[in-house]
Structure formats: structure tokens, C-alpha cells
């Protein structure tokens, strides 16, 4: 069976871009969370909320950028917390 490739219309693409932007602004979702929820790739979501959105509406793009920057600043803390929990589990098992 051959895969059918569906090309979005311009209106459908605009709708998707603004849907992704609203999820970032209103719900504070990360690119990964949006990709999982909407079944679009992380690359598509990232391009939607950064590059494509900037061309369509600079004001909304700035709001999205603030939220994404906040996520980026918190990323290293989440990684450190995950590592700490991993080693705590190992110590509990050994001890």
C-alpha cells in the first residue's frame, strides 16, 4: 500500500501555527509536549513557533519566545534533578 502525502493548504498551516503558539502561551507547554499532543514532529512544532510565527505575527512570536526562553533556562535544573533522583535510587538499592 502506498502512503498518501497530504499537503496542507495555507489556511490549515496558519491554523496549525497559531494553535501551537496558543499551547505555548496559554498552557505553557514545551515543544516536546506539543509534538506529543498534536502528533506533529518536534522539528515542525519548533519551526512553527519560532521561524514561521515570526513571519506571521511578531507580537505573538515575542510572547512565545519568552515562554520558550523560560523553558530553556529551567532545562538544566530538570536534568540535574533527574540525575540526582537516579543516583538516590541506586544508593537506596545498594544501601
Amino acid at each position: 500500500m502506498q502512503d498518501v502525502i497530504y499537503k496542507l493548504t495555507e489556511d490549515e498551516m496558519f491554523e496549525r501555527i497559531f494553535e501551537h503558539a496558543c499551547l505555548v502561551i496559554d498552557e505553557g507547554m514545551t515543544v516536546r509536549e506539543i509534538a506529543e499532543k498534536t502528533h506533529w514532529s518536534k522539528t515542525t512544532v519548533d519551526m512553527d513557533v519560532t521561524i514561521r510565527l515570526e513571519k506571521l505575527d511578531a507580537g505573538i512570536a515575542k510572547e512565545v519566545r519568552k515562554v520558550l526562553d523560560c523553558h530553556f533556562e529551567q532545562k538544566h535544573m530538570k536534568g540535574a534533578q533527574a540525575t540526582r533522583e537516579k543516583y538516590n535510587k541506586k544508593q537506596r538499592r545498594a544501601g
Side-chain angles (χ1 to χ4, degrees):
M1 182 181 221
Q2 191 176 21
D3 289 336
V4 177
I5 297 175
Y6 176 74
K7 186 170 177 151
L8 294 177
T9 66
E10 199 170 290
D11 288 342
E12 290 170 325
M13 185 181 273
F14 290 160
E15 186 176 323
R16 181 191 74 207
I17 292 167
F18 286 108
E19 176 189 359
H20 293 167
C22 286
L23 290 171
V24 171
I25 295 169
D26 297 340
E27 299 185 28
M29 294 178 78
T30 64
V31 169
R32 182 182 298 262
E33 291 169 337
I34 294 169
E36 191 175 299
K37 179 178 181 173
T38 62
H39 306 287
W40 287 98
S41 71
K42 290 185 295 184
T43 302
T44 299
V45 174
D46 184 59
M47 289 184 71
D48 281 353
V49 297
T50 55
I51 298 167
R52 295 181 184 123
L53 184 60
E54 179 67 38
K55 294 176 183 175
L56 298 175
D57 191 321
I60 294 175
K62 282 184 180 181
E63 289 182 53
V64 168
R65 183 81 261 156
K66 286 179 189 175
V67 176
L68 294 178
D69 287 345
C70 181
H71 291 164
F72 185 76
E73 290 171 7
Q74 294 173 355
K75 187 165 69 172
H76 73 281
M77 290 184 280
K78 289 180 181 180
Q81 180 64 30
T83 302
R84 193 175 304 116
E85 289 173 8
K86 175 183 171 183
Y87 286 106
N88 284 341
K89 280 184 183 178
K90 283 184 179 181
Q91 286 180 343
R92 277 187 244 130
R93 287 184 195 155

